[in-house]
Amino acid sequence: MRDIVVVREVAFPREMVWGALTDSRQLGSWLMPNDFAPKMGHRFTFQTKPAPGFDGVVRCEVLELRAPERVAFTWRGGPLDTVVSFDLEEVPGGTRITLRHAGFAGVRNLVPRIVMGFGWRSLLARKLVGHLAGVDHGA
Amino acid sequence: MSRVSPDQDPFRAIADANRRRMLDHMLAGERTVGELAGLLGIAQPSVSQHMAVLRLAGLVDERPEGRRTFYAVRAAELRGVADWIAKYEAFWGERLDALEAHLAQQRQ
């Protein structure tokens, strides 16, 4: 199981990045239209295009808010019940942003097992065929 | 893009933890509803209901044998989910590009 983690260093001060993450209007201009408010427990939504299995609404709740270091909120939409967090660290010349999208456990666990399961099956089939061919040659 | 009714949507079908556990068990081999009920510790009628959702979504095949019906996973259908998560990864990369562009604009 693996979370989605994206790390990005930007040449902007941390306070400025924090503003872009926690001001509803700014958040809307680079992420999605929303009614976010920087308050613990605040429930809000992001609005995007609907897709099969997804009505286009991401339902969120602010879980953590530690200015100007960390903000985390739930991210529920389509088959997902996940958590998104941003960590901001000051680095020389700017800010390191660590985005983590966590909680794919159920879905993620299943998919590799399906792919691997089938990989194994065909591998075994090939090995068996090879083995039988070898036996045949040896005989 | 083809229209998919909610009932046939594989994403909705796997949104439920019990259905994911059923699929997980069926990956190991064919199962009957009774076997799955025992493995999951839930009532047979619930397993039957969940199985109906999985069948509608095209995620399982059924094979009657005598008085029993065996169910197995159709893996190809589920691979779409892996693609979907990969798209989310790309989504965040693009959004952070947009954030950087936004910050550059703010500074001007």
Side-chain angles (χ1 to χ4, degrees):
Chain A
M1 166 197 9
R2 170 173 80 89
D3 298 337
I4 292 175
V5 180
V6 183
V7 181
R8 186 73 63 93
E9 286 190 12
V10 295
F12 301 95
R14 183 159 68 164
E15 292 290 343
M16 205 177 149
V17 179
W18 180 255
L21 291 177
T22 55
D23 173 75
S24 173
R25 190 189 53 79
Q26 288 197 56
L27 197 55
S29 78
W30 67 269
L31 187 50
M32 283 185 257
N34 65 87
D35 55 345
F36 176 89
K39 274 188 297 195
M40 279 292 288
H42 174 68
R43 288 167 188 270
F44 64 103
T45 59
F46 285 106
Q47 311 278 340
T48 185
K49 276 186 298 190
F54 175 47
D55 61 6
V57 180
V58 184
R59 290 164 185 83
C60 307
E61 179 181 346
V62 179
L63 298 177
E64 287 179 67
L65 193 71
R66 205 164 64 239
E69 292 169 7
R70 179 173 167 83
V71 58
F73 41 83
T74 57
W75 183 278
R76 298 194 174 106
L80 297 185
D81 184 353
T82 52
V83 173
V84 169
S85 64
F86 291 89
D87 285 286
L88 305 183
E89 284 168 79
E90 286 184 308
V91 292
T95 307
R96 180 184 297 131
I97 305 167
T98 304
L99 163 103
R100 187 180 295 271
H101 194 160
F104 289 100
V107 179
R108 266 195 190 276
N109 280 341
L110 190 59
V111 174
R113 289 177 78 157
I114 288 157
V115 175
M116 280 173 64
F118 268 65
W120 272 112
R121 228 173 275 176
S122 57
L123 185 68
L124 281 176
R126 275 203 302 276
K127 273 197 167 174
L128 187 62
V129 169
H131 173 74
L132 291 173
V135 170
D136 196 37
H137 280 297
Chain B
M1 189 156 58
S2 66
R3 287 244 161 236
V4 182
S5 92
D7 286 341
Q8 299 170 325
D9 185 345
F11 297 104
R12 191 155 304 199
I14 65 153
D16 179 88
N18 275 327
R19 289 199 286 273
R20 289 202 297 265
R21 289 172 65 204
M22 285 167 61
L23 288 168
D24 226 4
H25 283 296
M26 286 185 281
L27 281 172
E30 289 182 324
R31 300 282 185 192
T32 64
V33 164
E35 285 169 351
L36 289 168
L39 287 163
L40 270 66
I42 59 177
Q44 283 206 21
S46 311
V47 174
S48 294
Q49 274 179 9
H50 285 312
M51 193 64 86
V53 175
L54 293 174
R55 281 187 53 210
L56 263 174
L59 296 179
V60 294
D61 277 328
E62 61 174 4
R63 183 177 66 81
E65 190 185 291
R67 292 174 57 184
R68 299 203 293 175
T69 305
F70 290 89
Y71 295 92
V73 172
R74 299 175 67 183
E77 303 296 325
L78 269 172
R79 287 200 191 145
V81 178
D83 298 343
W84 199 76
I85 293 170
K87 275 182 198 146
Y88 241 108
E89 241 153 357
F91 164 81
W92 283 119
E94 284 166 19
R95 287 305 96 204
L96 288 184
D97 289 345
L99 169 62
E100 227 173 324
H102 167 80
L103 289 166
Q105 249 180 1
Q106 289 286 113
R107 181 134 80 187
Q108 278 165 10

